[in-house]
Amino acid sequence: MLRSHTAVAWYLDGARTHVSLAGDPVAAVVVRPSGESLFVFANEADRLLAEELGDASDLEVVRVPWHEPLVPAGLDALGALDETDAAADLRAARAALLPAELARYRALSREVAEAMTDAALAASPDDSERAVAARLSGDLAARGIDPLVTLVAGRSRLAHRHPLPTDAPLGDRAMLVVCGRRHGLIANATRWVRFGPADPAETDAERRILDVEAAFLDATVPGARLADVFATGTAAYASHGFDPHEWTRHHQGGAAGYAGRDPRAVPGLPDVVQLGQPFAWNPTAPGAKVEDTVLVGSDGIEVLTLDPRWPTVTVAGRARPRDLRRD
């Protein structure tokens, strides 16, 4: 039984499974050796079938009254396996993107990066964080992208790792963070914009956090255990002049795709990196953070959230984002 947005959207080839972004999926799938059954609330069925599923002739469609449980409880009595009982196997099954999925993901990632560049270029020091977030979220929505996360921190709030936007002005430096979803896939990126001259200490921290990210990316190769990639990346904090415990103050990212992190990397995680799998590592320290959605390709790491307009610096042979200067 597939019940989560992550699993159902993946199984239904990118169908939108929500009405409210904060709500449960309006559809579930029961997969049997003999075929699949789509359980969908009756008041959502016609729209879902017409606009999200295309040819659904291979699905048994079960229309469920809105006031009843989406999946009958009786299925549990038949020994049905819930997705939570097969979480690791399902992650492995959807880890490597198929060609059609990858085409969608490349387009999504590029547009997320473009929207972030547009928002940064339109911003001014007097803009409130909420005004910037509104423009950014609106641009994403206009592109058919659900803004699952839109964070903006101006100078006064850079100490916060997850800065939900407020009325505070940007000031001379700001961080923008986006997690955008389309066709069930989620692209993640962080960008920094600066108004006026650089601060040498901040510039140094920015450069060193890119070196930490490089350790994560260099270790993200097919066949590597995520536990080992995580250990390599977190050890790099001390190697590059940060507090060795800095990694404990914010999550470091992990595999990406149909979930913001699929899964979020933690010590000891046994999942294995696959060829064709997306990742989004996000090492961070006070006043410094980097985050892009990348793909483990046959020729190494491919950055997906890329906009040629954004300034970059080369680190470990890769173009990595630096502050966008607005003088």
Side-chain angles (χ1 to χ4, degrees), residues 43-116:
N43 57 315
E44 306 293 345
D46 289 344
R47 176 187 59 79
L48 199 73
L49 291 168
E51 298 179 353
E52 300 294 333
L53 294 182
D55 181 10
S57 59
D58 57 337
L59 291 173
E60 175 197 18
V61 178
V62 181
R63 296 171 183 253
V64 180
W66 65 265
H67 52 86
E68 294 183 4
L70 185 57
V71 179
L75 285 175
D76 293 320
L78 298 177
L81 184 70
D82 191 86
E83 67 174 82
T84 56
D85 298 318
D89 292 324
L90 287 170
R91 288 199 304 269
R94 62 178 176 256
L97 298 182
L98 298 173
E101 294 174 299
L102 182 53
R104 295 172 190 157
Y105 208 24
R106 283 196 172 106
L108 165 67
S109 298
R110 181 184 67 252
E111 292 182 42
V112 164
E114 291 171 351
M116 298 187 79

Side-chain angles (χ1 to χ4, degrees), residues 229-252:
V229 179
F230 184 83
T232 298
T234 54
Y237 278 96
S239 302
H240 295 288
F242 293 105
D243 184 331
H245 302 290
E246 192 62 57
W247 68 270
T248 66
R249 299 177 182 125
H250 188 275
H251 81 83
Q252 301 298 297

